[in-house]
Amino acid sequence: GQNIDQPTEMTATEGAIVQINCTYQTSGFNGLFWYQQHAGEAPTFLSYNVLDGLEEKGRFSSFLSRSKGYSYLLLKELQMKDSASYLCAVRDSNYQLIWGAGTKLIIKP
Amino acid sequence: IAGITQAPTSQILAAGRRMTLRCTQDMRHNAMYWYRQDLGLGLRLIHYSNTAGTTGKGEVPDGYSVSRANTDDFPLTLASAVPSQTSVYFCASSDGSAGELFFGEGSRLTVL
């Protein structure tokens, strides 16, 4: 079966750096997405990786290793507004998105 | 403001009733999707449409139906609601099957 694993919850301190990991086992691979979802709101797109390596976008970076079935989202200079759930999703060989359950990130002052 | 509009935002429904969740997008995206989101689970695809006039079943299609008469609208119908359909429903669209998804604000449905 297809599976996306990410930690259920993480806690970090304002101003620090946090890394959220995602491992996947899917039928084929056509890209990996990270979305941010604040409580009670819709998911919003953060990043997309289809080739191995690091994609940087401001305070957020996303890394992909296809051979290891692994990705991480790196958040730097954490702000209170970064408190949210972070969703990892993989597009499989049929171009369907398989979603992880999300990682709830709690930022403490 | 361009985007996806869902209605209603929230609804309480008696079991056995019929319910249609509306979804409209103005981005002229070809692909549209309906997901449900339940606590502790990832987003699960109910139905999708790659282009107007076509629809397909997702991971959890039972008890739901969709139609795609035009590019902009993609309603989701629960023919006879059951309590297990209590969930938050998100409509999404993308510019083709490989693009990022844009989500509506969600419809919170409670079936009693």
Side-chain angles (χ1 to χ4, degrees):
Chain A
Q2 307 201 92
N3 194 51
I4 309 285
D5 285 319
Q6 45 181 139
T8 302
E9 187 175 296
M10 298 182 70
T11 301
T13 304
E14 188 177 16
I17 299 173
V18 71
Q19 177 176 311
I20 302 173
N21 296 326
C22 171
T23 58
Y24 63 89
Q25 293 177 306
T26 56
S27 302
F29 179 85
N30 281 298
L32 184 144
F33 294 82
W34 284 96
Y35 281 77
Q36 180 190 59
Q37 185 177 25
H38 286 101
E41 298 183 7
T44 55
F45 171 78
L46 283 178
S47 69
Y48 171 68
N49 295 69
V50 66
L51 299 176
D52 291 350
L54 189 69
E55 293 282 342
E56 297 186 81
K57 191 183 293 186
R59 294 188 298 114
F60 293 7
S61 302
S62 57
F63 172 83
L64 174 67
S65 169
R66 289 172 296 170
S67 63
K68 295 182 179 179
Y70 168 70
S71 173
Y72 67 73
L73 180 69
L74 192 72
L75 291 74
K76 302 176 185 177
E77 301 170 15
L78 286 170
Q79 302 175 10
M80 297 304 292
K81 67 178 182 179
D82 297 330
S83 292
S85 289
Y86 292 85
L87 314 181
C88 174
V90 172
R91 183 158 270 143
D92 68 11
S93 57
N94 293 319
Y95 282 86
Q96 296 297 335
L97 277 175
I98 311 300
W99 294 83
T103 298
K104 182 178 180 180
L105 179 63
I106 299 168
I107 310 296
K108 295 186 175 179
Chain B
I1 298 176
I4 298 181
T5 303
Q6 290 185 232
T9 304
S10 180
Q11 182 77 43
I12 298 174
L13 188 67
R17 299 297 295 268
R18 180 184 179 90
M19 178 71 193
T20 296
L21 303 180
R22 300 183 298 279
C23 176
T24 301
Q25 54 107 356
D26 61 4
M27 297 177 283
R28 309 302 293 171
H29 284 169
N30 287 324
M32 297 188 74
Y33 312 85
W34 273 106
Y35 286 94
R36 60 178 289 173
Q37 187 175 41
D38 302 289
L39 198 63
L41 299 177
L43 287 162
R44 291 185 291 169
L45 182 65
I46 303 170
H47 285 285
Y48 66 93
S49 169
N50 288 328
T51 189
T54 68
T55 62
K57 293 182 180 181
E59 179 185 357
V60 288
D62 293 345
Y64 305 95
S65 63
V66 292
S67 62
R68 186 86 184 278
N70 56 60
T71 298
D72 299 343
D73 301 300
F74 191 44
L76 175 74
T77 297
L78 289 68
S80 179
V82 295
S84 62
Q85 292 177 313
T86 294
S87 187
V88 179
Y89 292 86
F90 286 103
C91 180
S93 72
S94 66
D95 187 13
S97 60
E100 69 185 80
L101 266 60
F102 293 83
F103 286 85
E105 290 303 309
S107 296
R108 181 176 295 275
L109 183 66
T110 302
V111 182
L112 301 176

